Amino acid sequence: MRSFKLLPLASAIRGGLAAAALCVAMPALAAPPQFDIEGGRIEEVLPEFARQAGLQIIAPAAMGDEGRIEVGQLKGQMDPRQALNRLLSGTGLAVASDAVCYTHLTLPTQTIV
C-alpha cells in the first residue's frame, strides 16, 4: 500500500478548516449567556448588551435623535437573539439582519439597500 505525505500547505488548510468548523460549532454547544443589564438609554445599554452577548451590533447613529429611547432591565440566562428581542421590545427598533458574527438594527422608517 502506498502512503502519501501531506504537503505542508494541504496540512495547514485541513487544520484551518477543522478550526473554523470548531469555532462555528462551539457557540451552539455553549450554554446561553447570563445577562445582567440595567435599564436606561439605548445608546448606553446596547454596548453593554453586546459585550455580555458576545455580539457585534450595528445600530443607526440617529437612534437617540428623535427623543430618548429607554429600555428596561434584562436579567437571566437566555439565547442572545431572544434577549435582544426582549430588550428592543417597544422601542421601535428592529433587527434588520442577523448573522453569526453581527446583528444590524434599524429604525422602522429606514430601508437597507
Side-chain angles (χ1 to χ4, degrees):
M1 175 178 252
R2 292 167 87 182
S3 65
F4 292 96
K5 194 173 193 180
L6 285 177
L7 297 172
L9 179 60
S11 181
I13 290 172
R14 196 161 93 184
L17 290 175
L22 185 60
C23 287
V24 169
M26 287 304 288
L29 299 174
Q34 179 74 27
F35 292 98
D36 186 12
I37 308 281
E38 294 299 324
R41 294 184 65 157
I42 188 78
E43 55 270 6
E44 296 167 359
V45 171
L46 206 53
E48 179 59 20
F49 172 82
R51 186 189 68 74
Q52 291 184 25
L55 294 173
Q56 180 180 5
I57 299 176
I58 302 166
M63 68 182 178
D65 291 348
E66 297 179 18
R68 269 177 86 119
I69 297 176
E70 295 283 333
V71 295
Q73 70 177 3
L74 181 70
K75 297 194 183 288
Q77 187 176 18
M78 64 191 85
D79 175 76
R81 269 65 178 182
Q82 176 190 9
L84 181 60
N85 286 332
R86 187 176 292 180
L87 192 69
L88 297 178
S89 178
T91 65
L93 290 167
V95 175
S97 63
D98 192 5
V100 173
C101 59
Y102 74 92
T103 299
H104 180 252
L105 304 180
T106 186
L107 292 167
T109 57
Q110 291 182 320
T111 55
I112 298 176
V113 181

